[in-house]
Amino acid sequence: MKKWIRKDTSAALMFLAPSGVGFALFYLIPFAMGVFYSFMDSMVDGQFVGLDNYRELLASNSFRQAASNTFYFSVISVPLMLVLSLGLAMLLNKNIYFRKWLRTAFVLPLVVPVASIILIWQMLFDWNGSLNAWLSYFRSERVDWMKTDAARNVVIVVYLWKNIGYNVILFLAGLQQIPKDYYETAQIEGAGRLRQFRSITLVYLTSTMFFVVIMSIINSFKVFRETYLIAGDYPHDSIYMMQHYMNNMFMSLDIQKLTAAATLMFGCIFLIVMGLFAIERRHRQFME
C-alpha cells in the first residue's frame, strides 16, 4: 500500500479525485439522467417511448426556429471572432503606443459581470437609446434594434465584445512562441509580409487556432445569458436560440422536450469538435 501511494500515478489520482467526484456529481450523472429521460414519456413512473420525443421535437416549429438561429449565429460569429482576435493579437504583439492599455481593455469583459454591463448595451440599442440618438443627429432613421432582424447583429456584437479578449490572449501566447529568427530569415530571402503570414505565422499558430475555433463554437452555443438579459424570455424571432427554447420548456415543465433538445445540442457540439480534432490531427501529420 505504501509503495502504491508513493507512485506518481496514485498521487495524481488522489489529487484528481475531488474534481472527478464533483464533475460526476454535478455534470456527468445529471447529463446521463437527462439522456435517459429523453427516451421516457414521464419522469415519474415513465415508460420507454424510444425516439418519439425526438420526432415530436423535430416537428416543432419553435425548435426548428431556435436550431436554425443558433446555427446561423455560429456560422457568422465564429469566423468573425477568429479573424478579429487574430488581427488584434498581431497588432498587440507589436510595439505600438498604448499597447498595455489596449491589452487591459480587451481583458476587462472577461472579469466584469455581464449582468452589470448589459444595462449599458440596453441603453445603447434601445429605441430611445444613444445609438438612435446619434442616427437622428445625422438625419438617419431610427432602428428598433431589438424588435427587428437587426437584433441578430446586436447579439453578434455583444458576443464578440464578451469573448474576443480571451482569444486575443491565446493568440498572443502563440505569437510570442514563434522565434523571430524565422521572420528575419524570410525577409533576407525576399519573402513579403503575406508570405510570412501564410508560411510562418499560420503554420505555427495551427494548434492555437484549432483550440480557439473549438472554444468559440462552444461559446456561441452559450450566448443565452446575454440574449436573455437584453431581450427577455421571448425575444425577436431572429435571436430565439436553443437556450431560449430549453429555458421555456423548463418553465413549462416539459422535461422530455428539454432533455431531448439538450441531448441533440450536445450531439451536434460533440460531432463538430470531433471533426475539428480529426482535421487538426491530419494537418499535424501532413506538416510532419
Side-chain angles (χ1 to χ4, degrees), residues 16-228:
L16 290 173
S19 297
V21 171
F23 176 78
L25 184 62
F26 296 105
Y27 290 95
L28 188 59
I29 295 176
F31 173 74
M33 293 176 63
V35 175
F36 174 75
Y37 287 133
S38 68
F39 295 100
M40 309 294 290
D41 62 352
S42 177
M43 292 183 62
V44 181
D45 297 331
Q47 296 181 354
F48 182 78
V49 294
L51 298 176
D52 289 348
N53 292 326
Y54 292 92
R55 295 191 187 98
E56 186 178 354
L57 185 72
L58 294 175
S60 172
N61 292 328
S62 58
F63 173 79
R64 292 202 298 266
Q65 178 73 29
S68 62
N69 287 339
T70 304
F71 177 76
Y72 178 86
F73 177 81
S74 299
V75 168
I76 298 299
S77 61
V78 172
L80 279 175
M81 175 70 71
L82 185 66
V83 173
L84 291 176
S85 57
L86 179 57
L88 290 172
M90 294 180 64
L91 180 65
L92 295 177
N93 196 40
K94 299 179 180 180
N95 293 323
I96 61 173
Y97 195 60
F98 284 147
R99 182 176 63 173
K100 293 182 179 180
W101 294 98
L102 289 173
R103 289 180 178 179
T104 305
F106 287 119
V107 174
L108 276 179
L110 299 176
V111 297
V112 178
V114 177
S116 61
I117 297 297
I118 212 68
L119 293 174
I120 299 176
W121 289 101
Q122 289 177 342
M123 293 169 57
L124 183 64
F125 291 105
D126 190 73
W127 174 257
N128 296 316
S130 303
L131 190 55
N132 278 331
W134 280 103
L135 291 176
S136 299
Y137 179 78
F138 290 106
R139 301 186 182 278
S140 298
E141 294 184 0
R142 290 173 177 261
V143 179
D144 197 353
W145 296 97
M146 300 311 301
K147 295 182 180 180
T148 61
D149 290 337
R152 182 178 290 162
N153 300 326
V154 174
V155 176
I156 291 175
V157 170
V158 174
Y159 166 79
L160 294 174
W161 170 83
K162 178 63 180 175
N163 297 282
I164 199 169
Y166 178 70
N167 294 336
V168 168
I169 293 174
L170 294 176
F171 276 127
L172 270 175
L175 288 171
Q176 292 174 358
Q177 296 298 319
I178 302 176
K180 295 182 179 180
D181 297 342
Y182 294 168
Y183 293 103
E184 295 175 356
T185 304
Q187 288 178 356
I188 293 173
E189 294 180 355
R193 291 185 177 181
L194 183 60
R195 180 64 183 275
Q196 294 178 33
F197 174 76
R198 186 176 66 251
S199 301
I200 300 176
T201 305
L202 289 182
V203 170
Y204 282 89
L205 285 179
T206 300
S207 299
T208 304
M209 195 172 299
F210 274 104
F211 181 75
V212 169
V213 170
I214 290 172
M215 294 304 298
S216 298
I217 291 174
I218 294 174
N219 288 330
S220 69
F221 279 83
K222 299 190 300 181
V223 75
F224 168 73
R225 179 178 55 181
E226 293 82 357
T227 309
Y228 178 82

Side-chain angles (χ1 to χ4, degrees), residues 256-270:
Q256 280 62 50
K257 287 185 180 179
L258 167 63
T259 53
T263 303
L264 283 179
M265 190 172 72
F266 167 79
C268 291
I269 296 176
F270 180 78

